[in-house]
Amino acid sequence: MMKGNVERVRGVTRRTVFLLSGIAIAVIAAAVPHSASALDHCGAVSRNEIWSPFDNPHVLTCDVTVRNSTLTFEPGINIQLAEGVSLVFSTGSKLEAVGTAAMPLTIIGATRTQEAGFWGQLRFESDSLLSRLEYGSVVGGGDGGVPMVEVLGAGVDMAAMTYRLTEGSPLAFDAGALGPSLERAGSATVGRCEGIDFSAVGENFIEIRAGKEIDVDTNASWSHFCIPYRVDGTISIGGADEPTLTLNPGVVLHFAAASEMIVGVDAENPGQLNLNGSIDEPVILTGIEDAPGSWGGVTLTEHGFGSFLISARIERGGAGGRSMLIVEDPNASAIDIILTEAEAYPIEVDAPSVGSFFAGLYAATEPVVQGNAIDRILIRADFDIDITRSAAWGRMRVPYEIDGDLLVAGADAPVLALLGGAELWFGEGEGLTIGHETLGAGGFEVRASAEAPAVLTSEEDRPGAWRGVHLVSTPDPVLIEGLVIANGGQGGGPMLDWGLARGTLIRSTFRGAEGYPIALPLSNIAAIVGEELKVVSNRNHFQDNGVDRVLVRVDGPYGERRATWTSPGAPLEFDSDVVIAGPGVPVVELYGGLSIHMPSGGSFIIGDTRETRAAVRLFEDPAGDEEGVTFRPAEIFSSWSGIRVIEGSTFETRSDATSLGIRGPYGEGAAALSVESGASVVIDSGGTIFGEGGDSIGLHVTSGGEAALHGFDIRGHRIGALASEGGRYLLDSGWVTGNADFGARNLDPTICVTTNLIWWGDPAGPNDPSDADDGCMDAANESGGDTVSDDVDWSNYAIDDELTPVGGIVGGGKKIFMPVGYSS
């Protein structure tokens, strides 16, 4: 009977020869018993056929190969294959085998007692068409250990199937055929393992054959059917339509040696991988062998378009020393994954991909990277620009190992943010650069804490093992809080070279720099000494650096309208003269605890011209630091030129003021504190002005300048205090001793300078060899104390270093100089 070009085979008698599709199929007597109505098959099928359950059992007595046609099994059919026999679907052919719950399909061995591996295979060749196999059971195949059902073509849509008694694996698929074959069965919300059921199989896995130039070129979803998949060869995912391979909850892939997965083939064939596991049923990618490095790994290439790994475990990879997971896709991301038992690095990530990939992993409850040969995250930083879009790098509980120089730059000024717990290790000579002169600006933020700092350090634990951080060009202010930076400054450069970037540095630690821990320009000094540092808990810490000071590069006069300079936690060292001056009369507040180191021959200058004046004020350190504000030379044997206050500028104390310390040595003839050109100095909070026994002057007031110092110790100079050319000073309640030529000298006979309650080093007071009628002290005084000149009123002196007053000696009657604002 014929209907169209389909020949229905039914109601025939065995041992009859039919011409089917133009090819004779001999129905021969078989050794296996079957009913009188059974229909035997052997040979080739080349026209569409329908096999009916009315002819059950259908016995394949030899291999049957279907070509360029469709073979249909009707519900209830019983197919029996003789020993070693296979049913093969070849070029242009397919199987339509759809049973029902009431009338399932049965494909078994032609033997009374079913046994594993009795017959061969249902094999769908690479050029076969998409087939269907639903509601039935396949039993007893896989002779010689081959897969019982092998699908190498377009696929076999399977559902509600049972596979039993195999010698080898029950199913094998070309990687591209697996999705079309099992996706419908895997989409069931319940009963997936019953949808494709396995029992008493010789090899308890589903085989996946890979290794083509492209294996998965259309969207595919692989599901868990309660046995793992075994992958032989490299699975490549890609295609013109950007295919996505999804591995659903519970899927386990066992990879053979040298097998791997590549996502995104090239620019014309992008691809995506989604590991769609769950907490209870993670996706697992592992090796067949229970050993590190037993397979290659997964590569998310730059031709991926946002792979997503969720609730997955990747383990035992990295054959040959490659990284087990390589992430080049800048849009790939992950949540709740574990990388373990890699032979070398568990993961290698291109720097542009770090922010996206790890963003969902920073809050992981257990370590993402654990139990690998190298428990670090390898970051490839070998691009012209490594980070071109803003990214946050957070805590991974293992270090990020940076391979190459890391550059953050671009037209959109991307920001690299380091979160608490992030730890970056740099290799020999490598570093982090923020912004570029020609490639674009960048941004940098560190938001961490002492309890969970962000760390920048080296692979080798030694000073100068890496370059450090260079802030080149940042349009927005930089915030660094809670950073630990160590072992940088290779070649003697600063470990943090701040550049012109505005910003704030607080609560950070610098240790193990080969040279200076930090360098920055004077115009940007507020970043490390600003208002925030008045809070003691915000102070930074410096430990075991080659030079435990902050290098300030003078790039012009400092003219900020109002500025706070507070100790950053280490002394400030300037590389040239410091000039504080500007047309707006800048006011700089110096807080106790600040230590300023000046270069050889350098001066700290307050004011410049009458139009560019300045005011510097001293305030108490909030931490209660007893050292006050100190100035000294940068090098122990070098000399500097002291503090100069000029052109109507002021240097003064305010409420809660701190002491001032000035130390030498100084250049020949230089003054530790010079007040000139109508400038004013009023410091009533005490301090020291120490020389080193050279040709220096402690205090020099000249050219109409005025100075009042209370509680100062001036010693070790050629001249302790000098007035000239209309300059006037008041020394009150202090110590002037050990000065070689004069403790106090006045070269302007029109002015009387005053000292009050000064200990001159002798209970008899100062040595005044002249009794000239100068209108100040009209009597000589011989003693072992420091010498005073004419025109100095020393009458009320101290008789000991506790500043006990002598009383009873009266000055010459000239008016005592008492500057405005002096409160003693």
Side-chain angles (χ1 to χ4, degrees), residues 397-670:
R397 306 190 193 187
V398 298
Y400 299 94
E401 180 181 321
I402 313 300
D403 183 15
D405 286 317
L406 191 62
L407 173 61
V408 182
D412 296 329
V415 176
L416 173 61
L418 299 184
L419 308 180
E423 186 169 344
L424 278 63
W425 289 11
F426 289 83
E428 186 76 24
E430 295 168 355
L432 168 62
T433 302
I434 308 297
H436 190 275
E437 292 84 352
T438 59
L439 297 176
F444 188 50
E445 290 185 3
V446 180
R447 297 183 180 274
S449 64
E451 295 74 24
V455 178
L456 298 177
T457 187
S458 57
E459 295 175 34
E460 295 187 35
D461 187 14
R462 60 177 175 81
W466 66 295
R467 283 194 298 108
V469 180
H470 188 189
L471 305 179
V472 175
S473 175
T474 62
D476 297 319
V478 169
L479 171 63
I480 299 178
E481 178 180 2
L483 174 67
V484 173
I485 180 169
N487 297 330
Q490 188 175 71
M495 187 160 62
L496 172 58
D497 193 340
W498 194 285
L500 293 173
R502 296 286 181 170
T504 304
L505 171 68
I506 58 174
R507 300 181 187 177
S508 295
T509 298
F510 295 78
R511 62 169 178 257
E514 184 173 347
Y516 293 94
I518 309 175
L520 81 171
L522 173 59
S523 60
N524 199 24
I525 195 173
I528 62 164
V529 299
E531 189 77 18
E532 294 81 359
L533 277 300
K534 289 167 64 176
V535 178
V536 177
S537 61
N538 283 345
R539 296 279 171 88
N540 301 295
H541 302 279
F542 297 81
Q543 304 166 359
D544 302 323
N545 299 287
V547 183
D548 255 335
R549 298 195 286 271
V550 174
L551 178 62
V552 182
R553 298 175 176 133
V554 177
D555 57 347
Y558 188 79
E560 288 292 321
R561 180 65 185 85
R562 191 174 187 92
T564 295
W565 288 16
T566 304
S567 171
L572 302 177
E573 178 183 332
F574 295 88
D575 68 350
S576 183
D577 286 348
V578 177
V579 177
I580 300 177
V585 189
V587 177
V588 178
E589 298 176 351
L590 306 184
Y591 282 80
L594 185 66
S595 179
I596 293 175
H597 292 230
M598 297 300 298
S600 177
S603 298
F604 192 92
I605 304 170
I606 303 170
D608 186 14
T609 66
R610 181 64 59 176
E611 290 71 32
T612 54
R613 295 173 294 149
V616 174
R617 297 168 179 171
L618 299 181
F619 287 83
E620 184 180 19
D621 178 17
D625 194 323
E626 295 181 358
E627 289 189 6
V629 176
T630 61
F631 291 79
R632 67 190 69 199
E635 302 299 331
I636 191 169
F637 296 114
S638 70
S639 59
W640 65 299
S641 297
I643 301 172
R644 294 179 61 201
V645 189
I646 61 178
E647 288 295 342
S649 296
T650 60
F651 186 23
E652 58 191 4
T653 55
R654 290 299 189 188
S655 59
D656 299 323
T658 191
S659 64
L660 171 66
I662 309 174
R663 290 182 174 272
Y666 312 93
E668 184 175 351

Side-chain angles (χ1 to χ4, degrees), residues 4 49 230 281 326 363 370 383 431 483 523 525 564 566 656 773:
E49 290 187 6
R230 176 171 290 188
E281 292 186 295
I326 298 174
Q370 53 181 279
F383 302 86
L483 174 67
S523 60
I525 195 173
T564 295
T566 304
D656 299 323
D773 185 8

Side-chain angles (χ1 to χ4, degrees), residues 640-724:
W640 65 299
S641 297
I643 301 172
R644 294 179 61 201
V645 189
I646 61 178
E647 288 295 342
S649 296
T650 60
F651 186 23
E652 58 191 4
T653 55
R654 290 299 189 188
S655 59
D656 299 323
T658 191
S659 64
L660 171 66
I662 309 174
R663 290 182 174 272
Y666 312 93
E668 184 175 351
L673 177 58
S674 176
V675 187
E676 55 195 86
S677 303
S680 172
V681 172
V682 177
I683 300 177
D684 58 9
S685 53
T688 57
I689 302 178
F690 289 166
E692 295 290 338
D695 189 40
S696 63
I697 300 169
L699 169 68
H700 186 188
V701 186
T702 186
S703 303
E706 297 181 351
L709 303 182
H710 173 83
F712 270 78
D713 189 343
I714 303 174
R715 69 178 68 195
H717 303 278
R718 183 174 62 86
I719 300 176
L722 175 65
S724 66

